[in-house]
Amino acid sequence: MRRMTAALALTLGLAAPSAEAAQGFRFDSIDGGEIALDGFRGQPVLVVNTASQCGFTPQYDGLQTLHDRYGAEGLVVLAVPSDDFKQELSSEAAVKEFCDVNFGLTLPMTEITHVKGADAHPFYKWLKAEHGFAPRWNFNKVLIGPEGEVVDTYGSLTKPTSRKVTRKIEALLAR
């Protein structure tokens, strides 16, 4: 894995403590305030770029299932709504209401956030620069380990509750 230079980190606007750890990043919360990945140190985090008007939107049910099943053991499921693929509602309030009414979501959620391109959030710029992964569509998933390491990435077709995902989550929780 390639090490990030200090110049590259500054260019990307990264706050990560190292090229290996995701924990230095912060997102604006859909509920106001910030969601700091550093606050989840020692816990696995599944970060998912989402959209309310996508064919994969029913995966919200699976994300909530993971949150309900593994949240008490330490898993954090973080939804990152994005309109980069032109399938998100026009405001945070609309997204929050949609997710509450249709899926009863109780997991943390960011404001509508860019996940690709020049305007991508620093977390996603870091993910691409250091791990070669950028969301190619909605509902791409990134599993972050307890120390901030990228454990695995999954495309839209991988359901949140698939064995492929839950096996890795369970292994991280058993550490």
Side-chain angles (χ1 to χ4, degrees):
M1 199 173 303
R2 175 171 66 80
R3 289 271 183 211
M4 183 183 314
T5 66
L8 177 59
L10 288 173
T11 300
L12 296 176
L14 301 180
S18 77
E20 302 298 322
Q23 294 168 329
F25 296 102
R26 298 174 180 276
F27 290 87
D28 290 328
S29 172
I30 201 164
D31 295 317
E34 283 188 332
I35 299 170
L37 294 183
D38 195 42
F40 305 127
R41 188 174 300 278
Q43 299 173 259
V45 180
L46 185 67
V47 181
V48 185
N49 66 298
T50 62
S52 301
Q53 300 174 320
C54 177
F56 293 106
T57 301
Q59 286 190 21
Y60 270 131
D61 281 329
L63 297 176
Q64 185 64 43
T65 296
L66 290 178
H67 175 75
D68 293 343
R69 183 182 303 159
Y70 299 111
E73 295 177 54
L75 175 68
V76 176
V77 179
L78 178 62
V80 182
S82 179
D83 194 36
D84 285 352
F85 303 104
K86 308 299 183 215
Q87 295 187 317
E88 188 52 273
L89 299 171
S90 62
S91 72
E92 280 81 15
V95 171
K96 188 166 173 58
E97 180 180 3
F98 174 84
C99 290
D100 184 47
V101 168
N102 293 289
F103 300 98
L105 286 192
T106 60
L107 50 96
M109 183 176 278
T110 72
E111 289 184 347
I112 298 171
T113 303
H114 288 289
V115 299
K116 68 178 191 127
D119 294 329
H121 184 278
F123 170 81
Y124 285 97
K125 286 182 179 181
W126 168 80
L127 193 61
K128 183 175 182 183
E130 290 303 315
H131 300 280
F133 183 81
R136 293 174 53 167
W137 196 246
N138 302 308
F139 289 88
N140 278 218
K141 299 145 198 83
V142 180
L143 183 59
I144 306 295
E147 301 309 315
E149 73 280 15
V150 173
V151 173
D152 210 344
T153 58
Y154 309 93
S156 305
L157 294 174
T158 303
K159 293 180 180 178
T161 55
S162 71
R163 268 317 276 159
K164 185 182 205 178
V165 176
T166 59
R167 188 175 331 116
K168 291 212 174 158
I169 290 170
E170 289 168 358
L172 292 170
L173 292 172
R175 281 187 186 177

